[in-house]
């Protein structure tokens, strides 16, 4: 079970929550969402989630990199 990349509690049928959030917020909203979550996990890692929170932070930053890489490639 991968609790960082595809946690089962964030999936309903064939839809993963992060995909629904991305679709509903649009690109800029999704970037802000990722930035906020990266800050949250970095803030709390020593006090709550430990190493797993650092991996979650890394996941959100990687998503931001993907979005911005695609944006730059499209220009």
């Amino acid at each position: 079970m991968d609790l960082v990349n595809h946690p089962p509690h964030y999936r309903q049928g064939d839809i993963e929550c992060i995909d629904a959030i991305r679709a509903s917020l649009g690109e800029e909203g999704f970037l802000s969402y990722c930035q906020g979550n990266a800050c949250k996990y970095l803030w709390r890692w020593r006090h709550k989630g430990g190493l797993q929170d650092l991996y979650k932070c890394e996941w959100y930053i990687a998503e931001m990199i993907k979005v911005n890489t695609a944006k730059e490639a499209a220009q």
Side-chain angles (χ1 to χ4, degrees):
M1 183 176 350
D2 186 346
L3 295 177
V4 174
N5 294 295
H6 300 286
H9 54 279
Y10 284 125
R11 177 172 289 284
Q12 301 253 333
D14 291 337
I15 300 171
E16 197 163 340
C17 184
I18 194 71
D19 296 327
I21 291 169
R22 184 186 315 239
S24 67
L25 294 179
E27 186 177 88
E28 287 305 312
F30 183 68
L31 282 170
S32 295
Y33 173 81
C34 288
Q35 183 177 351
N37 276 298
C39 289
K40 172 184 72 174
Y41 287 117
L42 190 58
W43 184 276
R44 73 180 208 177
W45 79 274
R46 288 183 192 264
H47 307 287
K48 184 176 182 191
L51 188 57
Q52 186 178 44
D53 275 357
L54 291 177
Y55 283 123
K56 289 178 181 180
C57 177
E58 180 181 48
W59 188 91
Y60 281 105
I61 292 170
E63 288 300 302
M64 293 173 70
I65 292 168
K66 285 180 202 173
V67 169
N68 283 291
T69 300
K71 229 175 15 178
E72 286 184 12
Q75 293 177 358

